[in-house]
Amino acid sequence: MEINLFRLCSGLKVLGYFMILLVAAIIAVSYHSVVVLVCGPQLLRGGLRSFFAFSVVIVFHVLLILLLWSYFMVVFKDPGAVPENWKPVVDEENLEAGTSTTCSYHLPPEGLSSTQPLDEPERRPPIGYCTRCQNGKPPRCHHCSVCQRCVLKMDHHCVWVVNCVGVRNYKFFLLFLLYTFLETTLDTLILLPHFINFFGEAKNRSTSPGNLAIVFMAFVLNLAFALSLLCFIVMHASLLSSNTTSVEVYEKKRVVRWQYDLGRKKNFEQVFGTKKTLWFFPLFSKDDLDNIPALHGLEFPTRADVET
């Protein structure tokens, strides 16, 4: 009996649900350590310490709300699926603010023919087709072996969110990384003095062993996540600035100029939109959704000086 190895990858979804529980557990431990054990007693003392503790609690909750909001958007937002019976068709119109040579199109459902009459002067982009989905494949689209479908402008499948990261939730994923890094960094700084005094307090038994263990574990977890997330943020900031996804890195190395790199500003706007007031929220304005085709994942402007 032939075994489909790609279908076995779908079992990773089970691991993803465990990761969601792990995220909830880490948040609960951090909340109890920072708000209840560390800042809570200082709020009742009054004076400068009380004001500092109150400020920390406010910032903690603001970052937590933004973190959870972004996280749930990544989990529940469809990263972008290819429309059924999608076929490419030539469209030489300019996209956004530049000339586009790579677009997404729709042909009649008869088939995917790459031939064209000799008297037809325009050059057609390569036609993609996914043999697993039995459907057309837009530019920058890749098949996910875990989700068992093609994802528009796929970056990667993230087990932490039990979902693919694609064109329609990539902004939310980046915000989730940012706010989680800020939250874990804040927690690490607040818990650092208590971690330093951990062994002294344990020896003198000035604090209950259970609370000491929770503070110790919260500090170690937050420090580990802050350091690892910093590496992810640097990596994705580099990808964002060049309009590249994680799966396109090797493809980009084979070319002199990356055709989708339109400059840092336009690259940023293709992910976060043009409305500055919404850049730090997991939302898109209607104007951006109407005017930036790249946010839908079927059409992408390319550099005019690069052959496609």
Side-chain angles (χ1 to χ4, degrees), residues 71-86:
Y71 182 70
F72 288 130
M73 289 297 290
V74 181
V75 172
F76 295 109
K77 180 68 174 179
D78 192 312
V82 182
E84 189 176 358
N85 296 323
W86 183 91

Side-chain angles (χ1 to χ4, degrees), residues 145-161:
S145 299
V146 179
C147 297
Q148 296 294 323
R149 63 168 180 161
C150 284
V151 177
L152 299 176
K153 195 186 175 185
M154 176 180 172
D155 188 87
H156 68 287
H157 183 91
C158 182
V159 295
W160 288 92
V161 300

Side-chain angles (χ1 to χ4, degrees), residues 10-274:
S10 60
L12 291 175
K13 287 186 177 181
V14 178
L15 177 62
Y17 295 121
F18 171 77
M19 291 300 186
I20 291 180
L21 296 177
L22 181 59
V23 170
I26 294 173
I27 291 175
V29 170
S30 301
Y31 190 94
H32 183 74
S33 299
V34 175
V35 178
V36 178
L37 297 181
V38 175
C39 294
Q42 296 182 7
L43 290 174
L44 304 176
R45 293 182 180 180
L48 186 60
R49 285 190 176 183
S50 180
F51 175 77
F52 177 76
F54 178 77
S55 301
V56 169
V57 171
I58 293 298
V59 175
F60 180 93
H61 282 89
V62 169
L63 290 176
L64 181 61
I65 291 173
L66 292 172
L67 183 162
L68 292 175
W69 186 6
S70 301
Y71 182 70
F72 288 130
M73 289 297 290
V74 181
V75 172
F76 295 109
K77 180 68 174 179
D78 192 312
V82 182
E84 189 176 358
N85 296 323
W86 183 91
K87 304 289 190 274
V89 56
V90 173
D91 182 3
E92 296 295 339
E93 295 181 358
N94 291 339
L95 292 175
E96 295 183 10
T99 302
S100 171
T101 57
T102 303
C103 310
S104 90
Y105 327 132
H106 293 279
L107 276 182
E110 283 76 19
L112 284 168
S113 175
S114 59
T115 60
Q116 66 181 41
L118 296 176
D119 58 349
E120 188 175 349
E122 61 264 26
R123 172 177 50 84
R124 300 191 180 204
I127 295 175
Y129 184 77
C130 180
T131 56
R132 301 176 202 170
C133 297
Q134 298 295 310
N135 197 12
K137 205 171 183 180
R140 314 185 75 179
C141 175
H142 296 273
H143 186 89
C144 176
S145 299
V146 179
C147 297
Q148 296 294 323
R149 63 168 180 161
C150 284
V151 177
L152 299 176
K153 195 186 175 185
M154 176 180 172
D155 188 87
H156 68 287
H157 183 91
C158 182
V159 295
W160 288 92
V161 300
V162 203
N163 198 4
C164 271
V165 177
V167 65
R168 297 179 186 175
N169 64 355
Y170 185 49
K171 173 186 176 181
F172 312 149
F173 175 75
L174 295 180
L175 290 177
F176 169 62
L177 291 183
L178 174 63
Y179 292 132
T180 305
F181 169 72
L182 294 177
E183 183 75 277
T184 53
T185 301
L186 174 67
D187 295 350
T188 301
L189 294 176
I190 296 302
L191 297 174
L192 179 59
H194 296 269
F195 177 78
I196 295 175
N197 299 329
F198 170 78
F199 298 100
E201 292 180 357
K203 183 178 180 180
N204 299 330
R205 297 182 180 180
S206 57
T207 307
S208 67
N211 290 340
L212 284 175
I214 292 176
V215 171
F216 180 87
M217 182 171 57
F219 175 82
V220 173
L221 287 174
N222 280 277
L223 177 61
F225 273 92
L227 294 177
S228 60
L229 286 170
L230 178 60
C231 298
F232 275 105
I233 289 175
V234 171
M235 181 189 74
H236 280 283
S238 176
L239 295 175
L240 178 65
S241 65
S242 60
N243 202 347
T244 312
T245 64
S246 298
V247 296
E248 292 174 337
V249 171
Y250 294 104
E251 180 182 349
K252 180 185 175 184
K253 290 181 179 179
R254 296 196 299 264
V255 297
V256 178
R257 292 177 180 171
W258 183 237
Q259 59 180 332
Y260 300 110
D261 188 357
L262 305 180
R264 293 181 180 179
K265 180 181 178 181
K266 289 187 177 297
N267 295 341
F268 182 86
E269 290 175 349
Q270 284 191 21
V271 175
F272 283 81
T274 59

